Structure formats: C-alpha cells, structure tokens
Amino acid sequence: MYKSFLIKYGEIAIKGKNRYLFEEALVCQIRYALKEAEGEFHVRRLQGRIYVDAAGEYDYDEVMQALSHVFGIVGICPVVLLKDEGFERLAEDVIAYMDKVYPDKHLTFKVHARRARKNYPMDSMELNAALGEKILEAFPEISVDVHNPDVLLCVEIREEINLYSMEIKGPGGMPVGTNGKAMLLLSGGIDSPAAGYMTAKRGVALDAVYFHAPPYTSERAKQKVVDLAKILSKYSGPIRLHVVNFTDIQLFIYEKCPHEELTIIMRRYMMRIAEHFARANGCLGLVTGESIGQVASQTMQSLAVTNAVCDMPVYRPLIGFDKNEIIAVSEKIDAYETSILPYEDCCTIFVAKHPVTKPVLKTIERSERKLEEGIEERMKTALETTEVIEIK
Ligand code: ATP
Ligand code: MG
C-alpha cells in the first residue's frame, strides 16, 4: 500500500553548508543502494526531507534491505502522501490507513500531528484531538494511550500531508562520500571487512588492496577476497580492489631475514605498497583490521614498528574490540560466513614458530638492510603487475 518512504537522518552533525553536502551524498547513496532492488524509484529532496517514491511494483523487503545499507539513514518510514482536500477527507484517509495497516484493532494509539505549513486552518493540538476522536468513533476496540501507545500515528501537514506510523531503524553514521576516501588492507579474514564497514560508516569511501601469494595462496582465496569486497561495497559503494602479487617479496624476505621477524617485515612491506596505491587513488589514510594484542604482530610494539613506515595516518577502527565484538560486526554485515571459509592466507604461510612480540625498530631496520640488493626491483614488479578489479 505504500508508494513512498520518508527517510530520516541525523541532523545534529549537519550544520550550515555541510547539510547540503550531507543530503546530496545521502541521495546519491540511496540511488546506488536501490539498484539492488527491483523496480523503478525516484529519490527527491523536499523542504529538508528526503523521499523515495516507487514508480510501480516493487518488493517491500528488498527496498528495506537496500536502504538498510545506506549510512546516514537513521530511520525509514513507509509513508502515505495525501493532497490537502480538507479535514473531513483527511479524517477518512486516516481511518482507511489505520484499517489497512492494523487489521487487529485491539491496540492503543496516539495521534502526533505537526503543522509545518502554518496556513492550515487547525493547529496541531486541534488536529490531535479531532483525528483521535474520528479514529475512536470508527473503531470501538481501539483506545488512546498518550504515554506509551502501541501506534504513534504521525500526521504532518506539509505541501502534501504525510501519514506514517512505522519507523524502521537505519544504520546511522554518515553518507559515504562526505569524508573522503581511505585504502583498506583487505584480507580474507574476519577483521578487515569489519574494519572497512566501520570506516565507511563514518562517511569514508573505500578502495582496497589485497596481497596475494600464488601458488601458496589459491585462486579460491583470492575469489574469497573479491566476494568480501562485494559484500562491503553494498555499504561503501564501488571499491577499486588492488590485487598485489606478493610472492617474490615474501620469498625474498624469507631468504634474507631472521624468521622470527618475517611477519613484521612483511607487514611493513604491505603498508609501503598500500600507501603507494593510496596516494595514487587520492586516499587520505590506510585502514587495517588490527586490534591491540590479538596476535604477535598486533602488540603495541609491533603496531609501532609497522606504523613507522607510513607517512599517512593508519586507521584501526577495531583497535579496542575483542574478537567476539568483531564477529558480531562481521555477522551483522553478512560477511562472517564468507570470512570463515578455510582458505590459506599469505601471512600464515611463512609464519615463524616464535615470532617476535616486542620488535625494536632499529633491529628491524637493520634486518631490512639485508634486502637492499634486490627489494627495489621486486617492489617495482609488484606495483607494475598489480591487478585492479572494480567492485560494484
Ligand atoms: P583479518 O581477519 O583482517 O585477516 P587478522 O586477525 O588475520 O586480520 P593479521 O593477519 O595480523 O590479522 O592482519 C592484520 C591486518 O593486516 C588485517 O586486518 C588486514 O587489514 C591486513 N592484512 C593482513 N593480511 C593481508 C593480506 N593478505 N592482504 C591485505 N591485507 C592484509
Ligand atoms: Mg588474516
């Protein structure tokens, strides 16, 4: 029965000029998300509100699903839009609405009228009382509860009259595109997709880089990362995924450096390469799925040594999360089932029995000097042979 949806968004964060940018980006992201749903939709802004109108047939659940991916949306209200044809007609429409939406009338309600158009002949208090009375007359089983009603019927008098009583919670956050772009180090694990989601939620668009080590990591492991990027792109918008062939660099480190330092040195090369592509793509920072103390390469000392190779800020949105909290995010975004598929990871293949947990920068830098002859050309080859996959 609904042809339109009223989109509610958080207005506290958006003052002055930012409001326009916020709304523009939100409209743009809503249009992108609705491509997932069958049917034709129009998204429009009107007097500080955003409406989605369905042009014809559509699937309600699909639309809800699509809109639930759009950051910046706080609530989605299926709305009936009416022309103002006088109070009596409004009362009839309100009764018809209640009848259709609530087949079982054993409920309490409250009318919440708002007169945004000041030339309407009744004020909101009068409307509350008059419409309440009409509803009570029409349905004897219904009763009023002004404190804790089952149904809060909103009647907003605007250009058109907005009639709605349901608000489906949106994901919150900021529309993607309002806060620049970041480069996500995306592995096939649980953490990095969750980190990408958290970053996109703050309005940051994403590109991604994945370090692939064939033949040690398989095509299926790569496909898993592509699949995770697809899941993520439902929230973040299109992602340019860079697949870096990391094998030669890893083998070279393995050959030249102490094995207990492999992971940390390898991670430093990942960061260097990620930063290169971040700059080339206009990203303002790097994002990883690290969390303090989770593994040897994520102690405070290890993070400091990894960080030391980057000039760009490195964002770690999961830094204070326990694994179960990360899993909750992963499940919420429907990435978990994909993340736990048991394909090999380039980090685990060359992992030492006893990796250093408290690396010292000077020591690591000394070890890296053993790579001087040969690493440059391997880096160059890795950059040149990187495959770019556009994820939409
Ligand atoms: P994840 O679940 O994201 O794989 P993890 O718990 O396995 O994380 P690490 O393997 O130490 O932790 O990796 C830490 C972070 O480094 C990851 O969250 C990710 O951002 C990045 N990373 C690790 N391996 C890769 C890879 N092969 N390609 C791209 N980024 C990677
Ligand atoms: Mg991993």
Side-chain angles (χ1 to χ4, degrees):
M1 67 171 283
Y2 296 105
K3 290 200 184 69
S4 299
F5 299 89
L6 168 63
I7 305 298
K8 296 202 164 169
Y9 45 92
E11 298 185 42
I12 299 159
I14 44 169
K15 299 205 182 85
K17 178 173 127 245
N18 285 342
R19 183 185 181 104
Y20 180 78
L21 296 174
F22 185 103
E23 288 174 348
E24 277 290 288
L26 188 52
V27 166
C28 181
Q29 294 304 323
I30 291 171
R31 288 194 180 123
Y32 172 81
L34 283 171
K35 285 185 190 152
E36 265 179 60
E38 234 171 276
E40 196 188 327
F41 304 95
H42 301 291
V43 187
R44 63 190 164 108
R45 290 164 47 191
L46 186 71
Q47 300 174 307
R49 304 212 122 178
I50 292 175
Y51 294 92
V52 173
D53 304 310
E57 294 284 303
Y58 69 93
D59 184 296
Y60 180 87
D61 294 331
E62 263 181 26
V63 169
M64 283 302 154
Q65 176 77 11
L67 293 177
S68 74
H69 294 154
V70 181
F71 293 125
I73 295 181
V74 170
I76 306 151
C77 304
V79 66
V80 172
L81 300 175
L82 303 167
K83 279 212 184 78
D84 178 12
E85 293 174 307
F87 176 77
E88 287 307 320
R89 182 60 200 272
L90 173 61
E92 278 168 31
D93 288 333
V94 164
I95 288 165
Y97 176 94
M98 290 298 285
D99 204 20
K100 238 185 185 167
V101 180
Y102 303 101
D104 180 3
K105 303 292 182 302
H106 293 90
L107 52 80
T108 61
F109 80 102
K110 172 186 171 178
V111 178
H112 179 68
R114 226 173 99 190
R115 187 174 60 156
R117 178 157 60 76
K118 294 298 172 206
N119 66 0
Y120 196 77
M122 296 163 87
D123 71 18
S124 49
M125 295 298 274
E126 288 168 335
L127 272 168
N128 285 343
L131 287 172
E133 209 166 295
K134 290 281 188 188
I135 292 171
L136 287 171
E137 274 170 24
F139 310 112
E141 312 93 300
I142 277 189
S143 57
V144 171
D145 181 344
V146 291
H147 299 296
N148 194 17
D150 300 324
V151 175
L152 182 68
L153 178 66
C154 298
V155 182
E156 294 183 3
I157 311 291
R158 301 177 168 265
E159 202 78 6
E160 293 171 294
I161 298 174
N162 290 211
L163 204 59
Y164 60 94
S165 58
M166 278 185 289
E167 180 167 334
I168 295 98
K169 208 166 172 286
M174 312 268 289
V176 170
T178 52
N179 268 321
K181 188 163 70 169
M183 181 63 74
L184 170 68
L185 282 85
L186 180 63
S187 71
I190 295 168
D191 304 341
S192 41
Y197 170 86
M198 305 276 292
T199 309
K201 186 173 180 195
R202 299 311 303 158
V204 181
L206 297 176
D207 280 335
V209 53
Y210 165 60
F211 296 92
H212 189 37
Y216 304 98
T217 58
S218 64
E219 274 306 297
R220 288 203 304 182
K222 173 178 148 189
Q223 186 56 43
K224 177 180 165 185
V225 174
V226 171
D227 292 343
L228 286 169
K230 276 192 188 140
I231 293 169
L232 200 50
S233 74
K234 288 187 184 172
Y235 300 89
S236 70
I239 295 174
R240 300 193 89 196
L241 173 64
H242 301 73
V243 180
V244 180
N245 187 334
F246 204 47
T247 315
D248 286 350
I249 293 174
Q250 274 188 304
L251 289 174
F252 194 51
I253 299 171
Y254 190 75
E255 182 192 323
K256 301 278 181 185
C257 300
H259 287 184
E260 62 278 9
E261 292 172 6
L262 279 181
T263 305
I264 199 88
I265 294 175
M266 199 182 73
R267 296 202 48 72
R268 281 162 58 88
Y269 277 95
M270 283 188 181
M271 298 305 257
R272 289 180 174 107
I273 292 173
E275 192 172 72
H276 168 89
F277 287 117
R279 281 192 206 296
N281 287 276
C283 297
L284 301 171
L286 304 177
V287 179
T288 76
E290 290 158 316
S291 127
I292 292 176
Q294 200 185 74
V295 287
S297 58
Q298 297 178 23
T299 61
M300 291 284 274
Q301 292 85 348
S302 297
L303 290 172
V305 172
T306 309
N307 217 82
V309 292
C310 299
D311 291 323
M312 267 191 189
V314 181
Y315 297 103
R316 299 177 171 92
L318 307 178
I319 201 73
F321 277 36
D322 293 337
K323 197 74 189 185
N324 56 346
E325 292 169 311
I326 300 173
I327 289 173
V329 176
S330 172
E331 283 176 334
K332 187 172 79 177
I333 66 172
D334 271 338
Y336 189 67
E337 294 301 321
T338 306
S339 284
I340 59 173
L341 292 173
Y343 303 135
E344 57 298 302
D345 178 272
C346 77
C347 299
T348 47
I349 286 160
F350 297 96
V351 88
K353 269 218 184 74
H354 302 287
V356 281
T357 55
K358 293 180 184 167
V360 176
L361 185 56
K362 287 238 159 0
T363 317
I364 299 296
E365 283 173 346
R366 201 178 312 130
S367 301
E368 281 180 2
R369 252 172 255 140
K370 296 180 187 135
L371 301 169
E372 260 163 19
E373 243 166 80
I375 193 70
E376 282 299 322
E377 64 182 78
R378 284 173 177 79
M379 285 280 274
K380 190 161 168 275
T381 308
L383 298 181
E384 283 170 2
T385 58
T386 291
E387 178 192 2
V388 177
I389 305 174
E390 304 284 350
I391 310 279
K392 287 194 174 110

